[in-house]
Amino acid sequence: MNGFYLFDKEAGVSNTDSIVVKFDGRNHRNLNDLFSGIALQFRFPDYFNYNFDSLEEMLNDLNWLEDNNFSIIIINYKLLLADEAPERKEIFLQILNDVAAQWEHVPNFEGESNYRHKSDFRIYVENTPAIVNDLNKLGIAYYY
């Protein structure tokens, strides 16, 4: 099942996903660092525009990658985007949630199954009061 998973120790994250992208909140305190980090790790094409709209488009495509299953692992969540307005982190979480749902329900429109297949898209976040609070506030389901 796609979506958010909370874990207590990163070593306990068990998945069969092919592409694993890791974020340490200490190194991604602002949008520039976040966009640069995700673009590098997912090997986004040059036309990525370093904004939320473009991020969602890229994550919903990923056709330049050979593998179909994806994981994002986030540690030190409290520091992630800490230098930005809190709404920025909320937007990021909502985008990840939306992308996970869209990969879960491919095809989303007629003909899409010809080039895009259902894939795992999971977001593993270190279990802290901060992430639980933020996900609950946004009404985003999560699993353990």
Side-chain angles (χ1 to χ4, degrees), residues 81-103:
L81 297 177
D83 296 343
E84 300 287 341
E87 298 80 27
R88 302 287 189 183
K89 189 184 281 189
E90 292 174 3
I91 293 168
F92 180 60
L93 293 175
Q94 193 62 57
I95 287 172
L96 293 179
N97 189 58
D98 292 348
V99 168
Q102 291 170 10
W103 279 109

Side-chain angles (χ1 to χ4, degrees), residues 48-95:
F48 174 57
N49 288 322
Y50 293 82
N51 61 53
F52 285 125
D53 288 338
S54 188
L55 175 65
E56 187 168 16
E57 286 180 29
M58 295 289 115
L59 291 176
N60 275 315
D61 188 347
L62 298 174
N63 69 356
W64 53 89
L65 299 175
E66 293 180 20
D67 297 309
N68 286 2
N69 298 305
F70 314 100
S71 288
I72 294 176
I73 299 173
I74 301 172
I75 61 171
N76 296 306
Y77 172 79
K78 190 171 184 176
L79 296 174
L80 182 72
L81 297 177
D83 296 343
E84 300 287 341
E87 298 80 27
R88 302 287 189 183
K89 189 184 281 189
E90 292 174 3
I91 293 168
F92 180 60
L93 293 175
Q94 193 62 57
I95 287 172

Side-chain angles (χ1 to χ4, degrees), residues 27-143:
N27 301 323
H28 300 92
R29 296 178 60 94
N30 61 59
L31 284 174
N32 186 54
D33 291 342
L34 179 75
F35 290 145
S36 296
I38 204 165
L40 177 67
Q41 292 187 66
F42 273 120
R43 300 189 298 268
F44 284 175
D46 291 340
Y47 55 85
F48 174 57
N49 288 322
Y50 293 82
N51 61 53
F52 285 125
D53 288 338
S54 188
L55 175 65
E56 187 168 16
E57 286 180 29
M58 295 289 115
L59 291 176
N60 275 315
D61 188 347
L62 298 174
N63 69 356
W64 53 89
L65 299 175
E66 293 180 20
D67 297 309
N68 286 2
N69 298 305
F70 314 100
S71 288
I72 294 176
I73 299 173
I74 301 172
I75 61 171
N76 296 306
Y77 172 79
K78 190 171 184 176
L79 296 174
L80 182 72
L81 297 177
D83 296 343
E84 300 287 341
E87 298 80 27
R88 302 287 189 183
K89 189 184 281 189
E90 292 174 3
I91 293 168
F92 180 60
L93 293 175
Q94 193 62 57
I95 287 172
L96 293 179
N97 189 58
D98 292 348
V99 168
Q102 291 170 10
W103 279 109
E104 179 83 18
H105 300 292
V106 170
N108 292 319
F109 57 89
E110 189 175 336
E112 186 177 38
S113 58
N114 294 332
Y115 63 90
R116 186 171 183 237
H117 305 286
K118 178 178 175 178
S119 297
D120 286 340
F121 191 99
R122 298 180 182 182
I123 307 100
Y124 297 94
V125 186
E126 191 173 29
N127 188 5
T128 65
I131 185 62
V132 170
N133 182 59
D134 288 352
L135 293 175
N136 285 337
K137 177 181 175 186
L138 295 170
I140 296 174
Y142 52 92
Y143 312 95

